[in-house]
Amino acid sequence: MALTAKLQLRQSQSLVMTPQLMQSIRLLQLTHHELDRFIDEEIERNPLLERQDADTAGAEASLPEADASDVAPQGDWFETSLSNDAEALAGQFDTTLENVFPDDPGGGDRLGPALSASWKSGAGAGPGLGASSADGFDFEDVTAAAPSLRDHVREQLALAFSDLTERLIAADLAEGLDECGYLRVDVAEVAGRLNVETDTVEAVLRVCQNCDPAGLFARDLAECLALQLARRHRLDPAMRTLLGHLDLLARRDFAALRKLCGVDESDLIDMLAEIRALDPKPGSAFLHSGIETVLPDVVVSAAPDGGWTVELNPDALPRVLVDQTYFARVSRQASSREDRDFVSQCLQDANWLTRSLDQRARTILKVASEIVKQQDAFLAYGIGHMRPLNLRTVADAIGMHESTVSRVTTNKYMLTPRGMFELRFFFTAAIASAEGGEAHSAEAVRHHIREMIARENPAKVLSDDAIVDILRKTGVDIARRTVAKYRESMSIPSSVQRRREKRALAAAGP
């Protein structure tokens, strides 16, 4: 059989992840702080992008309608110069909106009247929208940085030792402290590295353990607590025995502890009170890691008609402008084809970013509005009335893919009259009804278990089996192992441990 070359036509379908689609997906799952950092990077890379500060927003708001269009830069991600016509967009980006925004290819016309009104009211232009109080004064810019744990320790060690060798040993030990103040290096290892006797390192360590706060340079929890008790002159033999059996304390085996320590029940209660007053992590006070404030993406408030108003938080929406005036001026002055191509590409990227931000805001609002609709009873009456909810239910209701809803609900927060919650909080498993009715939310069942244990009689502590019987009488079909799992997830001890604690508290009196 002869081998010959042939030309064949074959038609097939494939999913292509364009750079624009990848960017849209990435923007959808970013938090507010991550989105701010991403936009800052894009602004630094793209000369046609810039943020609108409060002064610019106020100036535009105060201008007459006829003159507002003269303000440069023009356009933002709510009023972009990017054409909403699908054919024009397809020509600009060599693709269609259906490929990049399959959930909303046509822009805002798919939003219902209520969602559209909420979105407009939550994203209306105004002074300070999307900006962080440019006129305010930030004291963090002028205050001195807080000292670290090692800086705090070095200041004390510099006065504690006069011998140079001891200072070097102490400095080496200080480098072995972890963020909680515990010594994480072996004394023998330090002695071998510095070529000194182990006893010398031990002596230096004992001096280092006198540093403030008490408990620094401890090698384990028992030693940390012992150092603090010794500073208070409360490290007696009974307390040493208690610290030597912290495993029994963790299991709340108070009878064994009383026998080992040789104390009665009232003395043991006093000892436990002293233990609780100690700090198991003395170095944590010097942790100054950057803490990002949680900013709600959606704000829910009661409506006059008895419903709920769902709005995007304007402070969580980035105000990005596309400088059309600068683009027109640079395009006219571009002398080479490479320059013109670069500016055109910057304009396309800027327009696509504003379109992606617009789509991100619409998608978050759609998902949040459906969550509020599904969990209306929780907002009105509390956690005991939360309904079971999954991602597919929301996705089917708003006509989106389940993966899109999953990205939206990750690290996004909703401010409600009952507090601030992550959107994931509203998705809970369903527990069947014992009477064949509507299923119960797992979060509501946890709440009921917590309330029952909080109200239980100290003389008759509820076991897991008793909790199961009570829940089944209220219509919740739940297994004992599920009750135990929920109880452990809420850090609630078993009935045996609770009985010991409540008897000890009752014996201690008021």
Side-chain angles (χ1 to χ4, degrees):
M1 180 181 292
L3 298 178
T4 59
K6 297 181 179 179
L7 292 177
Q8 293 182 344
L9 295 178
R10 182 176 301 172
Q11 185 176 8
S12 63
Q13 292 182 344
S14 62
L15 178 62
V16 178
M17 291 284 289
T18 63
Q20 291 82 9
L21 176 58
M22 295 175 63
Q23 183 191 75
S24 300
I25 294 175
R26 180 187 177 190
L27 291 180
L28 196 59
Q29 59 192 12
L30 293 181
T31 64
H32 166 67
H33 298 285
E34 292 171 343
L35 182 62
D36 274 346
R37 287 193 290 268
F38 173 79
I39 292 177
D40 289 338
E41 294 173 0
E42 289 296 311
I43 291 175
E44 184 177 358
R45 184 185 63 83
N46 194 330
L48 300 182
L49 284 173
E50 68 176 55
R51 288 184 182 271
Q52 181 184 27
D53 56 17
D55 295 337
T56 307
E60 289 187 358
S62 62
L63 285 176
E65 184 177 355
D67 299 333
S69 60
D70 297 332
V71 178
Q74 296 173 357
D76 56 40
W77 71 281
F78 289 112
E79 297 178 6
T80 176
S81 62
L82 181 61
S83 172
N84 287 326
D85 182 75
E87 295 181 359
L89 286 172
Q92 287 181 340
F93 298 114
D94 194 24
T95 185
T96 62
L97 288 181
E98 288 80 0
N99 291 333
V100 183
F101 300 110
D103 296 322
D104 186 16
D109 55 342
R110 293 187 59 188
L111 289 172
L115 291 180
S116 177
S118 297
W119 179 73
K120 288 179 180 178
S121 63
L129 181 61
S132 58
S133 106
D135 296 333
F137 180 76
D138 191 353
F139 283 98
E140 293 183 0
D141 296 336
V142 296
T143 54
S148 65
L149 174 61
R150 287 184 174 83
D151 293 337
H152 177 73
V153 169
R154 289 193 190 103
E155 292 179 358
Q156 300 181 64
L157 296 181
L159 302 176
F161 299 97
S162 58
D163 182 74
L164 179 59
T165 302
E166 293 179 345
R167 285 188 178 183
L168 292 176
I169 296 173
D172 193 280
L173 292 174
E175 292 299 322
L177 294 176
D178 66 4
E179 60 183 13
C180 295
Y182 286 85
L183 184 65
R184 296 307 183 189
V185 295
D186 186 65
V187 172
E189 179 186 347
V190 175
R193 185 169 58 250
L194 300 180
N195 195 23
V196 295
E197 296 293 333
T198 304
D199 293 341
T200 304
V201 179
E202 289 280 2
V204 172
L205 177 59
R206 287 192 292 271
V207 177
C208 293
Q209 289 177 341
N210 293 325
C211 292
D212 291 325
L216 295 180
F217 289 93
R219 285 159 285 190
D220 53 37
L221 177 60
E223 186 177 17
C224 178
L225 300 178
L227 292 173
Q228 298 179 54
L229 289 170
R231 194 76 63 90
R232 302 182 181 189
H233 305 288
R234 286 292 300 129
L235 191 59
D236 52 28
M239 191 65 79
R240 287 185 183 275
T241 304
L242 177 60
L243 295 180
H245 297 84
L246 292 178
D247 56 333
L248 297 178
L249 179 59
R251 296 199 300 266
R252 293 176 171 81
D253 193 350
F254 301 129
L257 288 174
R258 288 198 305 271
K259 183 177 179 180
L260 289 171
C261 298
V263 296
D264 57 19
E265 195 166 10
S266 61
D267 290 336
L268 181 61
I269 292 175
D270 293 337
M271 294 168 65
L272 295 180
E274 292 185 43
I275 293 293
R276 293 191 184 97
L278 304 178
D279 186 1
K281 298 179 180 180
S284 60
F286 296 90
L287 291 177
H288 304 290
S289 58
I291 300 177
E292 295 182 345
T293 303
V294 175
L295 190 67
D297 299 271
V298 181
V299 179
V300 178
S301 57
D305 59 356
W308 304 99
T309 301
V310 184
E311 296 179 332
L312 293 174
N313 182 8
D315 293 332
L317 298 177
R319 189 78 169 178
V320 181
L321 304 179
V322 180
D323 196 338
Q324 299 287 349
T325 305
Y326 181 70
F327 167 74
R329 185 170 67 250
V330 173
S331 298
R332 290 194 300 267
Q333 297 176 356
S335 57
S336 63
R337 180 179 180 84
E338 289 78 7
D339 294 341
R340 290 191 295 270
D341 291 343
F342 171 75
V343 176
S344 298
Q345 185 63 41
C346 287
L347 180 63
Q348 289 185 11
D349 293 343
N351 285 335
W352 191 267
L353 177 60
T354 57
R355 178 67 173 86
S356 299
L357 292 174
D358 181 30
Q359 175 66 20
R360 178 182 183 272
R362 293 174 182 272
T363 305
I364 292 175
L365 186 59
K366 277 186 178 181
V367 173
S369 299
E370 183 60 28
I371 291 175
V372 171
K373 179 181 177 181
Q374 296 285 344
Q375 299 293 0
D376 173 73
F378 161 74
L379 296 174
Y381 305 109
I383 195 171
H385 297 268
M386 179 172 283
R387 296 176 53 191
L389 185 64
N390 54 40
L391 297 174
R392 180 171 294 277
T393 301
V394 175
D396 294 342
I398 62 179
M400 290 185 175
H401 195 272
E402 190 174 345
S403 62
T404 303
V405 178
S406 177
R407 293 187 181 96
V408 170
T409 56
T410 302
N411 295 322
K412 307 296 188 303
Y413 292 85
M414 178 187 295
L415 181 61
T416 71
R418 295 196 174 273
M420 186 184 301
F421 304 95
E422 187 179 6
L423 295 185
R424 285 277 184 180
F425 169 80
F426 298 97
F427 295 88
T428 61
I431 298 179
S433 173
E435 302 173 353
E438 186 178 356
H440 301 270
S441 167
E443 194 65 35
V445 173
R446 285 192 185 93
H447 176 69
H448 291 321
I449 294 174
R450 187 187 302 111
E451 284 191 332
M452 282 190 290
I453 293 177
R455 297 194 306 263
E456 66 185 356
N457 188 347
K460 191 177 180 181
V461 176
L462 296 174
S463 64
D464 291 343
D465 290 325
I467 294 175
V468 169
D469 294 338
I470 296 174
L471 289 175
R472 286 181 176 173
K473 291 178 181 178
T474 60
V476 181
D477 186 10
I478 190 170
R480 179 187 178 280
R481 63 178 179 273
T482 306
V483 171
K485 181 181 70 173
Y486 288 172
R487 175 178 53 75
E488 292 172 358
S489 68
M490 296 183 290
S491 300
I492 298 177
S494 65
S495 58
V496 176
Q497 295 171 331
R498 298 200 308 273
R499 186 178 296 109
R500 290 172 181 169
E501 289 183 353
K502 293 185 177 183
R503 285 179 179 176
L505 292 174

